[in-house]
Amino acid sequence: MTPVPRGVAPDLASAPEVVLARGGLLGQPMWLLASTTSTNDEAKRGARQGAPHGATWVTEQQTAGRGRQGRAWLSPRAESLLFSVLVREAPLPARLPQIALVAGLAVRDAVGRSLPGGEVKIKWPNDVTVHGKKIAGVLVEAITSGQRVEAVVVGVGINVHTRAFSEEIAERATSIALASAPGADPPERVQILADALAALDADLHLVVARGLGIVRARLEAADALRGRRVRSDADGEGVAAGIDEEGRLLVRRSDGVVERWMAGEVHLVG
Ligand code: BTN
C-alpha cells in the first residue's frame, strides 16, 4: 500500500489503490499530497521530469490554485476534490476546448453518481452545475513546444464537503454535501475521483483523435444553457442553441443568425 501523507483525510487516503483496482489508464501513478501550490503545477513539473500518460496529482490543499481566465481557485483544506491528470497526447491546438468539454462531461457523470436524482449539467465552456449553481470547474492547460501541443494537463476542482461558501460566491456555488438529499451518506471523494478518471479514460483518446462526435449526444443532454438566454461581454446576447462539433457555443441572435462563440464567460440573462 502507498504510504499516505499526514494531512490526507480518510475519504481520500485509499485513492491510489482504489483507482489502480479499476484498471484504467488514468490515475496511475498517483501522487497524494497534503498541500501544494496547484496540482496543475505538479503535473507540468511531472511532465518535464518524464511522468507517463495518466499520471495524476491529488491534493487536500492548494496555496495558489487557479481557475480559468486567470482567476484564483480557492478551496478550504480537505473539503474539495482537487486533481490534475497528465495527458500525453499531442492534439491539435483546436482540440483543447473539446478536451475541456469531455473532461467536464466526465466530471458531470462522476458528480451525478454521487447525487442520484440531481440535475447535474455542464455550463459551457466547462463548469459543472447543479440546479444552476457551480459545483465543479475544469482547467485545461497545454504543454507546448513552439506552436505544437506536446501534452495536456486536465485540472479538476469539485466542491465536495463544503457547507458554507464565502459571501462573494455563496449565491453561485454549491457542493455535493449541500446538494445531497437529506440523510444521504457523506460523499466519498475517492469514489468520485475513481468515477471521474474512468469516465474521462473512456472518451478521451477518441476525442483527441477525432473530436467531439462520440460525446455530442451526451453533451447535448447535459447542456445547462440550451434554450436559455445568454450574454457574453465579447459576443453580445442571444439564445443558446447547443454546442457544435468544435466545442463552440451556438447562439441564435434575435435576427435569427446563429453565431458560434469560441470561449469566454457566459452569463444567463434573466
Ligand atoms: C474554473 O472553473 O475556472 C476551473 C477551476 C479548476 C480548478 C482546478 S483545482 C485542481 C487544478 N489545479 C488548479 O490550480 N486548478 C485546477
Side-chain angles (χ1 to χ4, degrees), residues 37-41 57 59 62 64-69 71-73 75 81-84 126-128 134 136-141 153-158 265:
T37 53
S38 152
T39 52
N40 273 30
D41 291 343
W57 289 259
T59 193
Q62 296 185 129
R66 55 183 177 269
R68 291 175 49 250
Q69 303 187 321
R71 283 193 289 255
W73 180 267
S75 29
L81 178 56
L82 309 168
F83 66 97
S84 299
N126 41 25
D127 288 350
V128 177
K134 180 162 174 171
V138 174
L139 177 67
V140 166
E141 294 181 323
V153 172
V154 177
V156 175
I158 306 176
E265 200 61 16

PDB file of all heavy atoms in Angstrom, residues 37-41 57 59 62 64-69 71-73 75 81-84 126-128 134 136-141 153-158 265, ligand 1:
ATOM      1  N   THR A  37       1.177  24.044  -4.359  1.00  0.00           N
ATOM      2  CA  THR A  37       0.716  25.317  -4.928  1.00  0.00           C
ATOM      3  C   THR A  37      -0.533  25.064  -5.764  1.00  0.00           C
ATOM      4  O   THR A  37      -1.590  25.644  -5.547  1.00  0.00           O
ATOM      5  CB  THR A  37       1.800  25.946  -5.819  1.00  0.00           C
ATOM      6  OG1 THR A  37       2.221  24.962  -6.780  1.00  0.00           O
ATOM      7  CG2 THR A  37       2.981  26.414  -4.996  1.00  0.00           C
ATOM      8  N   SER A  38      -0.411  24.156  -6.723  1.00  0.00           N
ATOM      9  CA  SER A  38      -1.503  23.830  -7.650  1.00  0.00           C
ATOM     10  C   SER A  38      -1.189  22.461  -8.244  1.00  0.00           C
ATOM     11  O   SER A  38      -0.035  22.209  -8.620  1.00  0.00           O
ATOM     12  CB  SER A  38      -1.542  24.892  -8.761  1.00  0.00           C
ATOM     13  OG  SER A  38      -2.066  24.357  -9.961  1.00  0.00           O
ATOM     14  N   THR A  39      -2.191  21.603  -8.330  1.00  0.00           N
ATOM     15  CA  THR A  39      -1.913  20.283  -8.930  1.00  0.00           C
ATOM     16  C   THR A  39      -1.558  20.427 -10.409  1.00  0.00           C
ATOM     17  O   THR A  39      -0.855  19.587 -10.963  1.00  0.00           O
ATOM     18  CB  THR A  39      -3.106  19.326  -8.750  1.00  0.00           C
ATOM     19  OG1 THR A  39      -4.295  19.965  -9.227  1.00  0.00           O
ATOM     20  CG2 THR A  39      -3.263  18.893  -7.301  1.00  0.00           C
ATOM     21  N   ASN A  40      -2.034  21.496 -11.066  1.00  0.00           N
ATOM     22  CA  ASN A  40      -1.613  21.710 -12.463  1.00  0.00           C
ATOM     23  C   ASN A  40      -0.107  21.993 -12.529  1.00  0.00           C
ATOM     24  O   ASN A  40       0.574  21.550 -13.453  1.00  0.00           O
ATOM     25  CB  ASN A  40      -2.409  22.849 -13.112  1.00  0.00           C
ATOM     26  CG  ASN A  40      -3.719  22.363 -13.726  1.00  0.00           C
ATOM     27  OD1 ASN A  40      -4.312  21.398 -13.246  1.00  0.00           O
ATOM     28  ND2 ASN A  40      -4.172  23.009 -14.776  1.00  0.00           N
ATOM     29  N   ASP A  41       0.423  22.731 -11.533  1.00  0.00           N
ATOM     30  CA  ASP A  41       1.882  22.948 -11.487  1.00  0.00           C
ATOM     31  C   ASP A  41       2.602  21.614 -11.312  1.00  0.00           C
ATOM     32  O   ASP A  41       3.617  21.355 -11.948  1.00  0.00           O
ATOM     33  CB  ASP A  41       2.265  23.836 -10.294  1.00  0.00           C
ATOM     34  CG  ASP A  41       1.803  25.275 -10.453  1.00  0.00           C
ATOM     35  OD1 ASP A  41       1.483  25.681 -11.580  1.00  0.00           O
ATOM     36  OD2 ASP A  41       1.771  25.981  -9.425  1.00  0.00           O
ATOM     37  N   TRP A  57      -2.064  13.889  -9.932  1.00  0.00           N
ATOM     38  CA  TRP A  57      -1.697  14.514  -8.663  1.00  0.00           C
ATOM     39  C   TRP A  57      -3.002  14.947  -7.983  1.00  0.00           C
ATOM     40  O   TRP A  57      -3.852  15.593  -8.596  1.00  0.00           O
ATOM     41  CB  TRP A  57      -0.810  15.731  -8.911  1.00  0.00           C
ATOM     42  CG  TRP A  57       0.567  15.345  -9.386  1.00  0.00           C
ATOM     43  CD1 TRP A  57       1.706  15.293  -8.643  1.00  0.00           C
ATOM     44  CD2 TRP A  57       0.953  14.937 -10.717  1.00  0.00           C
ATOM     45  NE1 TRP A  57       2.762  14.879  -9.419  1.00  0.00           N
ATOM     46  CE2 TRP A  57       2.335  14.649 -10.697  1.00  0.00           C
ATOM     47  CE3 TRP A  57       0.273  14.780 -11.931  1.00  0.00           C
ATOM     48  CZ2 TRP A  57       3.036  14.223 -11.826  1.00  0.00           C
ATOM     49  CZ3 TRP A  57       0.963  14.352 -13.051  1.00  0.00           C
ATOM     50  CH2 TRP A  57       2.336  14.073 -12.993  1.00  0.00           C
ATOM     51  N   THR A  59      -4.572  16.580  -4.259  1.00  0.00           N
ATOM     52  CA  THR A  59      -4.138  17.259  -3.027  1.00  0.00           C
ATOM     53  C   THR A  59      -5.321  17.652  -2.154  1.00  0.00           C
ATOM     54  O   THR A  59      -6.455  17.782  -2.627  1.00  0.00           O
ATOM     55  CB  THR A  59      -3.291  18.510  -3.359  1.00  0.00           C
ATOM     56  OG1 THR A  59      -2.636  18.953  -2.172  1.00  0.00           O
ATOM     57  CG2 THR A  59      -4.140  19.648  -3.909  1.00  0.00           C
ATOM     58  N   GLN A  62      -4.523  23.645  -1.952  1.00  0.00           N
ATOM     59  CA  GLN A  62      -3.681  24.378  -2.903  1.00  0.00           C
ATOM     60  C   GLN A  62      -3.433  25.785  -2.353  1.00  0.00           C
ATOM     61  O   GLN A  62      -4.379  26.460  -1.922  1.00  0.00           O
ATOM     62  CB  GLN A  62      -4.354  24.483  -4.265  1.00  0.00           C
ATOM     63  CG  GLN A  62      -4.560  23.125  -4.932  1.00  0.00           C
ATOM     64  CD  GLN A  62      -5.125  23.224  -6.328  1.00  0.00           C
ATOM     65  OE1 GLN A  62      -4.596  22.638  -7.257  1.00  0.00           O
ATOM     66  NE2 GLN A  62      -6.211  23.960  -6.484  1.00  0.00           N
ATOM     67  N   ALA A  64      -1.961  28.088  -4.309  1.00  0.00           N
ATOM     68  CA  ALA A  64      -2.078  29.004  -5.463  1.00  0.00           C
ATOM     69  C   ALA A  64      -2.916  28.328  -6.546  1.00  0.00           C
ATOM     70  O   ALA A  64      -2.532  28.316  -7.718  1.00  0.00           O
ATOM     71  CB  ALA A  64      -0.698  29.378  -5.977  1.00  0.00           C
ATOM     72  N   GLY A  65      -4.059  27.776  -6.148  1.00  0.00           N
ATOM     73  CA  GLY A  65      -4.946  27.124  -7.118  1.00  0.00           C
ATOM     74  C   GLY A  65      -5.466  28.159  -8.100  1.00  0.00           C
ATOM     75  O   GLY A  65      -5.733  29.303  -7.722  1.00  0.00           O
ATOM     76  N   ARG A  66      -5.591  27.756  -9.350  1.00  0.00           N
ATOM     77  CA  ARG A  66      -6.056  28.740 -10.335  1.00  0.00           C
ATOM     78  C   ARG A  66      -7.223  28.188 -11.144  1.00  0.00           C
ATOM     79  O   ARG A  66      -7.359  26.978 -11.333  1.00  0.00           O
ATOM     80  CB  ARG A  66      -4.933  29.184 -11.256  1.00  0.00           C
ATOM     81  CG  ARG A  66      -4.228  28.059 -11.977  1.00  0.00           C
ATOM     82  CD  ARG A  66      -3.069  28.599 -12.822  1.00  0.00           C
ATOM     83  NE  ARG A  66      -2.337  27.523 -13.463  1.00  0.00           N
ATOM     84  CZ  ARG A  66      -1.289  26.910 -12.935  1.00  0.00           C
ATOM     85  NH1 ARG A  66      -0.848  27.252 -11.750  1.00  0.00           N
ATOM     86  NH2 ARG A  66      -0.683  25.935 -13.591  1.00  0.00           N
ATOM     87  N   GLY A  67      -8.044  29.124 -11.628  1.00  0.00           N
ATOM     88  CA  GLY A  67      -9.159  28.772 -12.480  1.00  0.00           C
ATOM     89  C   GLY A  67      -8.968  29.384 -13.852  1.00  0.00           C
ATOM     90  O   GLY A  67      -7.886  29.878 -14.173  1.00  0.00           O
ATOM     91  N   ARG A  68     -10.003  29.347 -14.647  1.00  0.00           N
ATOM     92  CA  ARG A  68      -9.925  29.918 -15.987  1.00  0.00           C
ATOM     93  C   ARG A  68      -9.813  31.428 -15.898  1.00  0.00           C
ATOM     94  O   ARG A  68     -10.206  32.035 -14.911  1.00  0.00           O
ATOM     95  CB  ARG A  68     -11.164  29.519 -16.787  1.00  0.00           C
ATOM     96  CG  ARG A  68     -11.202  28.036 -17.111  1.00  0.00           C
ATOM     97  CD  ARG A  68     -12.492  27.651 -17.801  1.00  0.00           C
ATOM     98  NE  ARG A  68     -12.802  28.544 -18.897  1.00  0.00           N
ATOM     99  CZ  ARG A  68     -13.788  29.420 -18.900  1.00  0.00           C
ATOM    100  NH1 ARG A  68     -14.596  29.512 -17.875  1.00  0.00           N
ATOM    101  NH2 ARG A  68     -13.989  30.199 -19.937  1.00  0.00           N
ATOM    102  N   GLN A  69      -9.310  32.017 -16.975  1.00  0.00           N
ATOM    103  CA  GLN A  69      -9.217  33.463 -17.125  1.00  0.00           C
ATOM    104  C   GLN A  69      -8.452  34.119 -15.974  1.00  0.00           C
ATOM    105  O   GLN A  69      -8.848  35.194 -15.487  1.00  0.00           O
ATOM    106  CB  GLN A  69     -10.610  34.050 -17.292  1.00  0.00           C
ATOM    107  CG  GLN A  69     -11.319  33.412 -18.485  1.00  0.00           C
ATOM    108  CD  GLN A  69     -12.640  34.053 -18.806  1.00  0.00           C
ATOM    109  OE1 GLN A  69     -13.382  34.415 -17.907  1.00  0.00           O
ATOM    110  NE2 GLN A  69     -12.923  34.196 -20.088  1.00  0.00           N
ATOM    111  N   ARG A  71      -8.279  33.534 -12.887  1.00  0.00           N
ATOM    112  CA  ARG A  71      -8.885  33.682 -11.567  1.00  0.00           C
ATOM    113  C   ARG A  71      -8.259  32.715 -10.566  1.00  0.00           C
ATOM    114  O   ARG A  71      -7.779  31.651 -10.935  1.00  0.00           O
ATOM    115  CB  ARG A  71     -10.385  33.425 -11.650  1.00  0.00           C
ATOM    116  CG  ARG A  71     -11.146  34.592 -12.234  1.00  0.00           C
ATOM    117  CD  ARG A  71     -12.613  34.421 -12.004  1.00  0.00           C
ATOM    118  NE  ARG A  71     -13.101  33.340 -12.850  1.00  0.00           N
ATOM    119  CZ  ARG A  71     -13.823  33.526 -13.949  1.00  0.00           C
ATOM    120  NH1 ARG A  71     -14.148  34.739 -14.330  1.00  0.00           N
ATOM    121  NH2 ARG A  71     -14.236  32.508 -14.654  1.00  0.00           N
ATOM    122  N   ALA A  72      -8.321  33.080  -9.285  1.00  0.00           N
ATOM    123  CA  ALA A  72      -7.854  32.155  -8.245  1.00  0.00           C
ATOM    124  C   ALA A  72      -8.931  31.107  -8.011  1.00  0.00           C
ATOM    125  O   ALA A  72     -10.126  31.377  -8.193  1.00  0.00           O
ATOM    126  CB  ALA A  72      -7.601  32.932  -6.958  1.00  0.00           C
ATOM    127  N   TRP A  73      -8.511  29.899  -7.648  1.00  0.00           N
ATOM    128  CA  TRP A  73      -9.470  28.841  -7.275  1.00  0.00           C
ATOM    129  C   TRP A  73      -9.202  28.525  -5.808  1.00  0.00           C
ATOM    130  O   TRP A  73      -8.189  27.939  -5.452  1.00  0.00           O
ATOM    131  CB  TRP A  73      -9.273  27.607  -8.153  1.00  0.00           C
ATOM    132  CG  TRP A  73     -10.221  26.499  -7.828  1.00  0.00           C
ATOM    133  CD1 TRP A  73      -9.992  25.454  -6.971  1.00  0.00           C
ATOM    134  CD2 TRP A  73     -11.553  26.310  -8.339  1.00  0.00           C
ATOM    135  NE1 TRP A  73     -11.091  24.637  -6.914  1.00  0.00           N
ATOM    136  CE2 TRP A  73     -12.068  25.136  -7.746  1.00  0.00           C
ATOM    137  CE3 TRP A  73     -12.349  27.022  -9.234  1.00  0.00           C
ATOM    138  CZ2 TRP A  73     -13.338  24.647  -8.016  1.00  0.00           C
ATOM    139  CZ3 TRP A  73     -13.624  26.538  -9.506  1.00  0.00           C
ATOM    140  CH2 TRP A  73     -14.107  25.373  -8.911  1.00  0.00           C
ATOM    141  N   SER A  75     -10.133  26.836  -2.155  1.00  0.00           N
ATOM    142  CA  SER A  75     -10.932  25.771  -1.550  1.00  0.00           C
ATOM    143  C   SER A  75     -10.355  25.434  -0.182  1.00  0.00           C
ATOM    144  O   SER A  75      -9.156  25.203  -0.056  1.00  0.00           O
ATOM    145  CB  SER A  75     -10.963  24.534  -2.441  1.00  0.00           C
ATOM    146  OG  SER A  75      -9.798  24.443  -3.202  1.00  0.00           O
ATOM    147  N   LEU A  81     -12.353  18.051  -3.987  1.00  0.00           N
ATOM    148  CA  LEU A  81     -11.536  17.068  -4.700  1.00  0.00           C
ATOM    149  C   LEU A  81     -10.750  17.861  -5.740  1.00  0.00           C
ATOM    150  O   LEU A  81     -11.340  18.437  -6.653  1.00  0.00           O
ATOM    151  CB  LEU A  81     -12.448  16.028  -5.351  1.00  0.00           C
ATOM    152  CG  LEU A  81     -11.756  14.957  -6.173  1.00  0.00           C
ATOM    153  CD1 LEU A  81     -10.705  14.201  -5.360  1.00  0.00           C
ATOM    154  CD2 LEU A  81     -12.801  13.959  -6.686  1.00  0.00           C
ATOM    155  N   LEU A  82      -9.436  17.911  -5.555  1.00  0.00           N
ATOM    156  CA  LEU A  82      -8.567  18.743  -6.402  1.00  0.00           C
ATOM    157  C   LEU A  82      -7.548  17.827  -7.052  1.00  0.00           C
ATOM    158  O   LEU A  82      -6.742  17.196  -6.354  1.00  0.00           O
ATOM    159  CB  LEU A  82      -7.828  19.777  -5.538  1.00  0.00           C
ATOM    160  CG  LEU A  82      -8.688  20.626  -4.601  1.00  0.00           C
ATOM    161  CD1 LEU A  82      -7.812  21.380  -3.603  1.00  0.00           C
ATOM    162  CD2 LEU A  82      -9.537  21.602  -5.392  1.00  0.00           C
ATOM    163  N   PHE A  83      -7.588  17.724  -8.362  1.00  0.00           N
ATOM    164  CA  PHE A  83      -6.620  16.831  -9.006  1.00  0.00           C
ATOM    165  C   PHE A  83      -6.294  17.286 -10.425  1.00  0.00           C
ATOM    166  O   PHE A  83      -7.059  18.042 -11.044  1.00  0.00           O
ATOM    167  CB  PHE A  83      -7.103  15.374  -9.006  1.00  0.00           C
ATOM    168  CG  PHE A  83      -8.326  15.103  -9.844  1.00  0.00           C
ATOM    169  CD1 PHE A  83      -8.203  14.612 -11.144  1.00  0.00           C
ATOM    170  CD2 PHE A  83      -9.598  15.314  -9.345  1.00  0.00           C
ATOM    171  CE1 PHE A  83      -9.320  14.329 -11.919  1.00  0.00           C
ATOM    172  CE2 PHE A  83     -10.724  15.048 -10.110  1.00  0.00           C
ATOM    173  CZ  PHE A  83     -10.588  14.553 -11.401  1.00  0.00           C
ATOM    174  N   SER A  84      -5.155  16.801 -10.907  1.00  0.00           N
ATOM    175  CA  SER A  84      -4.746  17.069 -12.288  1.00  0.00           C
ATOM    176  C   SER A  84      -4.199  15.796 -12.895  1.00  0.00           C
ATOM    177  O   SER A  84      -3.475  15.042 -12.232  1.00  0.00           O
ATOM    178  CB  SER A  84      -3.664  18.152 -12.335  1.00  0.00           C
ATOM    179  OG  SER A  84      -4.148  19.355 -11.799  1.00  0.00           O
ATOM    180  N   ASN A 126     -16.866  25.030 -19.455  1.00  0.00           N
ATOM    181  CA  ASN A 126     -16.515  23.822 -18.685  1.00  0.00           C
ATOM    182  C   ASN A 126     -16.777  23.915 -17.194  1.00  0.00           C
ATOM    183  O   ASN A 126     -15.990  23.442 -16.387  1.00  0.00           O
ATOM    184  CB  ASN A 126     -15.069  23.363 -18.955  1.00  0.00           C
ATOM    185  CG  ASN A 126     -14.109  24.515 -19.029  1.00  0.00           C
ATOM    186  OD1 ASN A 126     -14.371  25.562 -18.450  1.00  0.00           O
ATOM    187  ND2 ASN A 126     -13.026  24.345 -19.735  1.00  0.00           N
ATOM    188  N   ASP A 127     -17.904  24.484 -16.850  1.00  0.00           N
ATOM    189  CA  ASP A 127     -18.349  24.403 -15.454  1.00  0.00           C
ATOM    190  C   ASP A 127     -19.325  23.248 -15.337  1.00  0.00           C
ATOM    191  O   ASP A 127     -20.050  22.936 -16.285  1.00  0.00           O
ATOM    192  CB  ASP A 127     -19.111  25.672 -15.054  1.00  0.00           C
ATOM    193  CG  ASP A 127     -18.205  26.881 -14.907  1.00  0.00           C
ATOM    194  OD1 ASP A 127     -16.972  26.708 -14.937  1.00  0.00           O
ATOM    195  OD2 ASP A 127     -18.748  27.992 -14.777  1.00  0.00           O
ATOM    196  N   VAL A 128     -19.364  22.654 -14.164  1.00  0.00           N
ATOM    197  CA  VAL A 128     -20.404  21.663 -13.867  1.00  0.00           C
ATOM    198  C   VAL A 128     -21.318  22.297 -12.833  1.00  0.00           C
ATOM    199  O   VAL A 128     -20.848  22.880 -11.845  1.00  0.00           O
ATOM    200  CB  VAL A 128     -19.780  20.350 -13.356  1.00  0.00           C
ATOM    201  CG1 VAL A 128     -20.869  19.344 -12.979  1.00  0.00           C
ATOM    202  CG2 VAL A 128     -18.864  19.755 -14.432  1.00  0.00           C
ATOM    203  N   LYS A 134     -22.644  26.462  -9.455  1.00  0.00           N
ATOM    204  CA  LYS A 134     -21.415  25.763  -9.854  1.00  0.00           C
ATOM    205  C   LYS A 134     -20.953  24.805  -8.764  1.00  0.00           C
ATOM    206  O   LYS A 134     -20.821  25.178  -7.602  1.00  0.00           O
ATOM    207  CB  LYS A 134     -20.327  26.809 -10.136  1.00  0.00           C
ATOM    208  CG  LYS A 134     -18.997  26.215 -10.560  1.00  0.00           C
ATOM    209  CD  LYS A 134     -18.143  27.263 -11.233  1.00  0.00           C
ATOM    210  CE  LYS A 134     -16.754  26.757 -11.542  1.00  0.00           C
ATOM    211  NZ  LYS A 134     -15.994  27.679 -12.379  1.00  0.00           N
ATOM    212  N   ALA A 136     -18.357  22.357  -9.840  1.00  0.00           N
ATOM    213  CA  ALA A 136     -17.014  21.930 -10.251  1.00  0.00           C
ATOM    214  C   ALA A 136     -16.554  22.751 -11.441  1.00  0.00           C
ATOM    215  O   ALA A 136     -17.364  23.297 -12.196  1.00  0.00           O
ATOM    216  CB  ALA A 136     -17.019  20.445 -10.620  1.00  0.00           C
ATOM    217  N   GLY A 137     -15.237  22.815 -11.603  1.00  0.00           N
ATOM    218  CA  GLY A 137     -14.653  23.505 -12.757  1.00  0.00           C
ATOM    219  C   GLY A 137     -13.478  22.710 -13.294  1.00  0.00           C
ATOM    220  O   GLY A 137     -12.870  21.909 -12.586  1.00  0.00           O
ATOM    221  N   VAL A 138     -13.182  22.951 -14.559  1.00  0.00           N
ATOM    222  CA  VAL A 138     -12.092  22.236 -15.250  1.00  0.00           C
ATOM    223  C   VAL A 138     -11.153  23.283 -15.843  1.00  0.00           C
ATOM    224  O   VAL A 138     -11.599  24.255 -16.442  1.00  0.00           O
ATOM    225  CB  VAL A 138     -12.670  21.368 -16.393  1.00  0.00           C
ATOM    226  CG1 VAL A 138     -11.553  20.744 -17.215  1.00  0.00           C
ATOM    227  CG2 VAL A 138     -13.596  20.294 -15.834  1.00  0.00           C
ATOM    228  N   LEU A 139      -9.875  23.071 -15.648  1.00  0.00           N
ATOM    229  CA  LEU A 139      -8.870  23.959 -16.252  1.00  0.00           C
ATOM    230  C   LEU A 139      -7.906  23.104 -17.066  1.00  0.00           C
ATOM    231  O   LEU A 139      -7.138  22.320 -16.504  1.00  0.00           O
ATOM    232  CB  LEU A 139      -8.101  24.703 -15.155  1.00  0.00           C
ATOM    233  CG  LEU A 139      -6.971  25.606 -15.653  1.00  0.00           C
ATOM    234  CD1 LEU A 139      -7.535  26.786 -16.454  1.00  0.00           C
ATOM    235  CD2 LEU A 139      -6.127  26.118 -14.483  1.00  0.00           C
ATOM    236  N   VAL A 140      -7.976  23.249 -18.386  1.00  0.00           N
ATOM    237  CA  VAL A 140      -7.076  22.511 -19.279  1.00  0.00           C
ATOM    238  C   VAL A 140      -5.925  23.424 -19.673  1.00  0.00           C
ATOM    239  O   VAL A 140      -6.146  24.541 -20.130  1.00  0.00           O
ATOM    240  CB  VAL A 140      -7.857  22.016 -20.521  1.00  0.00           C
ATOM    241  CG1 VAL A 140      -6.911  21.549 -21.611  1.00  0.00           C
ATOM    242  CG2 VAL A 140      -8.799  20.883 -20.120  1.00  0.00           C
ATOM    243  N   GLU A 141      -4.716  22.958 -19.468  1.00  0.00           N
ATOM    244  CA  GLU A 141      -3.535  23.739 -19.859  1.00  0.00           C
ATOM    245  C   GLU A 141      -2.657  22.887 -20.767  1.00  0.00           C
ATOM    246  O   GLU A 141      -2.468  21.691 -20.515  1.00  0.00           O
ATOM    247  CB  GLU A 141      -2.764  24.196 -18.622  1.00  0.00           C
ATOM    248  CG  GLU A 141      -3.570  25.183 -17.784  1.00  0.00           C
ATOM    249  CD  GLU A 141      -2.840  25.698 -16.558  1.00  0.00           C
ATOM    250  OE1 GLU A 141      -2.102  24.937 -15.909  1.00  0.00           O
ATOM    251  OE2 GLU A 141      -3.044  26.869 -16.226  1.00  0.00           O
ATOM    252  N   VAL A 153      -2.547  19.091 -19.595  1.00  0.00           N
ATOM    253  CA  VAL A 153      -2.870  18.867 -18.182  1.00  0.00           C
ATOM    254  C   VAL A 153      -4.355  19.181 -17.986  1.00  0.00           C
ATOM    255  O   VAL A 153      -4.817  20.261 -18.357  1.00  0.00           O
ATOM    256  CB  VAL A 153      -2.012  19.763 -17.268  1.00  0.00           C
ATOM    257  CG1 VAL A 153      -2.488  19.679 -15.821  1.00  0.00           C
ATOM    258  CG2 VAL A 153      -0.541  19.377 -17.377  1.00  0.00           C
ATOM    259  N   VAL A 154      -5.080  18.216 -17.450  1.00  0.00           N
ATOM    260  CA  VAL A 154      -6.503  18.424 -17.158  1.00  0.00           C
ATOM    261  C   VAL A 154      -6.638  18.575 -15.642  1.00  0.00           C
ATOM    262  O   VAL A 154      -6.405  17.624 -14.891  1.00  0.00           O
ATOM    263  CB  VAL A 154      -7.356  17.226 -17.638  1.00  0.00           C
ATOM    264  CG1 VAL A 154      -8.822  17.435 -17.256  1.00  0.00           C
ATOM    265  CG2 VAL A 154      -7.223  17.041 -19.147  1.00  0.00           C
ATOM    266  N   GLY A 155      -6.951  19.784 -15.200  1.00  0.00           N
ATOM    267  CA  GLY A 155      -7.102  20.049 -13.767  1.00  0.00           C
ATOM    268  C   GLY A 155      -8.572  20.159 -13.401  1.00  0.00           C
ATOM    269  O   GLY A 155      -9.349  20.789 -14.121  1.00  0.00           O
ATOM    270  N   VAL A 156      -8.934  19.547 -12.294  1.00  0.00           N
ATOM    271  CA  VAL A 156     -10.343  19.497 -11.897  1.00  0.00           C
ATOM    272  C   VAL A 156     -10.479  19.893 -10.422  1.00  0.00           C
ATOM    273  O   VAL A 156      -9.718  19.421  -9.573  1.00  0.00           O
ATOM    274  CB  VAL A 156     -10.906  18.062 -12.085  1.00  0.00           C
ATOM    275  CG1 VAL A 156     -12.344  17.968 -11.560  1.00  0.00           C
ATOM    276  CG2 VAL A 156     -10.852  17.651 -13.553  1.00  0.00           C
ATOM    277  N   GLY A 157     -11.434  20.749 -10.149  1.00  0.00           N
ATOM    278  CA  GLY A 157     -11.779  21.077  -8.770  1.00  0.00           C
ATOM    279  C   GLY A 157     -13.257  20.821  -8.556  1.00  0.00           C
ATOM    280  O   GLY A 157     -14.090  21.361  -9.289  1.00  0.00           O
ATOM    281  N   ILE A 158     -13.587  19.969  -7.579  1.00  0.00           N
ATOM    282  CA  ILE A 158     -15.003  19.648  -7.292  1.00  0.00           C
ATOM    283  C   ILE A 158     -15.283  20.022  -5.831  1.00  0.00           C
ATOM    284  O   ILE A 158     -14.547  19.601  -4.924  1.00  0.00           O
ATOM    285  CB  ILE A 158     -15.296  18.146  -7.501  1.00  0.00           C
ATOM    286  CG1 ILE A 158     -14.876  17.697  -8.909  1.00  0.00           C
ATOM    287  CG2 ILE A 158     -16.787  17.852  -7.263  1.00  0.00           C
ATOM    288  CD1 ILE A 158     -15.046  16.182  -9.170  1.00  0.00           C
ATOM    289  N   GLU A 265     -16.588  33.991 -20.966  1.00  0.00           N
ATOM    290  CA  GLU A 265     -17.511  33.877 -19.849  1.00  0.00           C
ATOM    291  C   GLU A 265     -18.923  34.123 -20.349  1.00  0.00           C
ATOM    292  O   GLU A 265     -19.179  35.117 -21.032  1.00  0.00           O
ATOM    293  CB  GLU A 265     -17.116  34.965 -18.835  1.00  0.00           C
ATOM    294  CG  GLU A 265     -17.598  34.758 -17.450  1.00  0.00           C
ATOM    295  CD  GLU A 265     -17.083  33.487 -16.822  1.00  0.00           C
ATOM    296  OE1 GLU A 265     -16.110  32.892 -17.343  1.00  0.00           O
ATOM    297  OE2 GLU A 265     -17.681  33.055 -15.836  1.00  0.00           O
TER     298      GLU A 265
HETATM  299  C1  BTN B   1     -12.580  27.091 -13.312  1.00  0.00           C
HETATM  300  O1  BTN B   1     -13.754  26.810 -13.082  1.00  0.00           O
HETATM  301  O2  BTN B   1     -12.234  28.261 -13.529  1.00  0.00           O
HETATM  302  C2  BTN B   1     -11.562  25.982 -13.343  1.00  0.00           C
HETATM  303  C3  BTN B   1     -11.149  25.584 -11.958  1.00  0.00           C
HETATM  304  C4  BTN B   1     -10.121  24.476 -11.947  1.00  0.00           C
HETATM  305  C5  BTN B   1      -9.565  24.242 -10.554  1.00  0.00           C
HETATM  306  C6  BTN B   1      -8.682  23.027 -10.517  1.00  0.00           C
HETATM  307  S1  BTN B   1      -8.311  22.539  -8.858  1.00  0.00           S
HETATM  308  C7  BTN B   1      -7.132  21.416  -9.428  1.00  0.00           C
HETATM  309  C8  BTN B   1      -6.385  22.095 -10.559  1.00  0.00           C
HETATM  310  N1  BTN B   1      -5.324  22.912 -10.037  1.00  0.00           N
HETATM  311  C9  BTN B   1      -5.521  24.211 -10.240  1.00  0.00           C
HETATM  312  O3  BTN B   1      -4.760  25.125  -9.868  1.00  0.00           O
HETATM  313  N2  BTN B   1      -6.673  24.394 -10.904  1.00  0.00           N
HETATM  314  C10 BTN B   1      -7.328  23.144 -11.194  1.00  0.00           C
END
